[in-house]
Amino acid sequence: MTVAGQGVVVTGAAGGIGKALAARLVAGGARVVINDLDPVATEAAAAEIGAYAVPGDAASVAGIVALVSAAREHLGQVDAWFANAGIVRGYGLDASEVAWAASWEVNTMAHVRAARLLVPGWLARGGGRFVVTASAAGLLTALGTATYSVSKHAVLAFAEWLSATYRHRGIVVQAICPQGVRTGMLAASGPMRTVLADGAVTPEDVAELTWQALHDDRFLILPHPEAGDHYRHRATDTDRWLGGMNKLQRHLEQDGAAR
């Protein structure tokens, strides 16, 4: 992939993985628009890394229309979209309807809505790139937070569908699936935070691996290679894998970490 000069959008980029991705893309010569909800934090991040800030809600229909329009006005065209925005809201079966709805909107539908606006233009031009941050929760599960697990599984399934449907027409789709990353979200990851903290990588580590993956177009981008091993185990011996996850759940309950 030739990044120099390309127009790129990164959502959820005022901090964490999104900001690190945007900074790496800027360093590689891309023209980058970053988006996040907090206008002050978004403007500050853009100034720091040399990007262009478009604050706003990347999940709602009106918000995504406004973001794509502003990005096209600034960049001329959007060549690549990094659908990175994500939230953790709610944990077990007691998660509220509001938490479920918010998780679905931000973690899944935001990316669907972006693709609706971007893919037709990419098909007309013969190329484009759509990268989702799906998390290892999308490959496996995240004990303690059903809302996050389900919505991340859904966005991974959507990314798979996009790739299967459009790859022969020049659209590259990729999914970043890290386990523990040293961001604010790690602290909000419920009972799994103590497990994920062991072996957690930095946002910059994720960004560098993603940068490398842009040049070979691999679908799964795995900052923790062991997540790929667990994924294969899950697919080939599901009952044993579920038994292992339940053993971990019991361990968390014994330690008083489970909600």
Side-chain angles (χ1 to χ4, degrees):
M1 177 185 176
T2 300
V3 173
Q6 287 214 327
V8 181
V9 176
V10 185
T11 68
I17 293 174
K19 182 180 176 183
L21 286 170
R24 186 63 184 88
L25 289 162
V26 169
R31 297 174 299 116
V32 179
V33 166
I34 66 169
N35 161 268
D36 216 313
L37 277 173
D38 184 334
V40 174
T42 307
E43 293 283 357
E48 179 184 340
I49 67 177
Y52 181 78
V54 180
D57 180 6
S60 70
V61 173
I64 200 67
V65 168
L67 174 56
V68 171
S69 176
R72 283 173 172 160
E73 182 176 352
H74 178 71
L75 299 170
Q77 68 181 31
V78 176
D79 299 298
W81 187 275
F82 285 73
N84 172 75
I87 60 171
V88 178
R89 296 286 187 277
Y91 292 94
L93 286 175
D94 59 347
S96 68
E97 292 290 324
V98 171
W100 275 102
S103 300
W104 181 249
E105 290 292 301
V106 177
N107 294 347
T108 304
M109 289 307 299
H111 312 326
V112 175
R113 290 165 182 150
R116 283 178 184 155
L117 297 175
L118 296 165
V119 168
W122 289 345
L123 292 175
R125 296 204 309 267
R129 184 178 300 264
F130 196 84
V131 184
V132 303
T133 303
S135 166
L139 286 176
L140 306 167
T141 193
L143 293 175
T145 173
T147 50
Y148 190 74
S149 297
V150 172
S151 56
K152 289 296 187 177
H153 269 277
V155 77
L156 183 63
F158 179 64
E160 290 172 342
W161 181 87
L162 279 178
S163 182
T165 303
Y166 296 116
R167 65 166 48 202
H168 67 294
R169 298 181 66 180
I171 296 179
V172 177
V173 183
Q174 296 174 286
I176 308 170
C177 299
Q179 292 184 167
V181 183
R182 295 171 199 157
T183 67
M185 190 173 284
L186 181 61
S189 59
M192 283 294 289
R193 63 185 175 275
T194 54
V195 176
L196 295 174
D198 184 19
V201 299
T202 68
E204 290 72 24
D205 292 331
V206 177
E208 184 58 37
L209 183 63
T210 301
W211 171 260
Q212 295 168 18
L214 296 182
H215 298 81
D216 61 26
D217 295 345
R218 74 191 83 160
F219 178 74
L220 288 179
I221 302 173
L222 301 175
H224 298 83
E226 61 270 25
D229 297 333
H230 298 322
Y231 186 47
R232 285 185 288 272
H233 187 193
R234 172 179 175 268
T236 57
D237 195 346
T238 305
D239 285 313
R240 184 177 178 187
W241 178 79
L242 285 170
M245 291 301 290
N246 181 249
K247 181 178 180 180
L248 177 56
Q249 172 68 21
R250 297 196 307 270
H251 176 73
L252 292 171
E253 290 176 3
Q254 290 168 2
D255 286 351
R259 290 176 182 265

